[in-house]
Amino acid sequence: MLTDYERKVLRILFNYSSGRRRLPTIHELTVKTGKDKPDVMAALDGLIKAEYIQWEDKSDTSNLVILEGWERESEKPKLPKVPPPAQLNDLSYWTLY
């Protein structure tokens, strides 16, 4: 499961690659996220460990390969199922309100 910051970096990478046909530089990631370079590098390392991206030559982000552009369905937190409220009858609106 990704942290919020890792998910944000992944979405920025994916949106840049699809919209601008290139990947953002480290400086652009720091500007877009509002964090420092060590935080951005830690998020990228987390994405590598979770196998969302591949980045063998870490000299430049143009060598980065996005494997998955969004969080996996199996890793998303599930909300508990809540039964719908019971409706009394069709006249309940007119008699209760």
Side-chain angles (χ1 to χ4, degrees):
M1 189 167 179
L2 297 176
T3 64
D4 289 340
Y5 186 63
E6 289 171 344
R7 192 177 306 111
K8 182 178 186 175
V9 170
L10 181 63
R11 294 306 306 156
I12 291 170
L13 290 171
F14 184 79
N15 290 337
Y16 253 80
S17 67
S18 62
R20 298 186 181 183
R21 305 286 187 231
R22 67 176 181 88
L23 290 166
T25 63
I26 297 294
H27 176 69
E28 288 172 330
L29 284 172
T30 59
V31 170
K32 294 289 182 190
T33 61
K35 301 278 186 171
D36 293 328
K37 183 178 178 178
D39 296 329
V40 171
M41 296 303 287
L44 290 172
D45 286 337
L47 291 172
I48 291 169
K49 288 177 186 171
E51 297 180 352
Y52 283 92
I53 62 172
Q54 281 185 342
W55 194 23
E56 294 178 11
D57 182 13
K58 296 185 179 182
S59 63
D60 188 19
T61 56
S62 63
N63 303 320
L64 193 139
V65 177
I66 300 173
L67 301 175
E68 292 185 56
W70 48 88
E71 193 171 20
R72 299 174 185 115
E73 282 293 323
S74 61
E75 294 181 0
K76 289 184 181 178
K78 304 289 184 201
L79 296 176
K81 299 270 182 175
V82 178
Q87 294 185 357
L88 302 175
N89 56 29
D90 293 336
L91 298 175
S92 64
Y93 176 80
W94 303 104
T95 57
L96 295 177
Y97 296 104

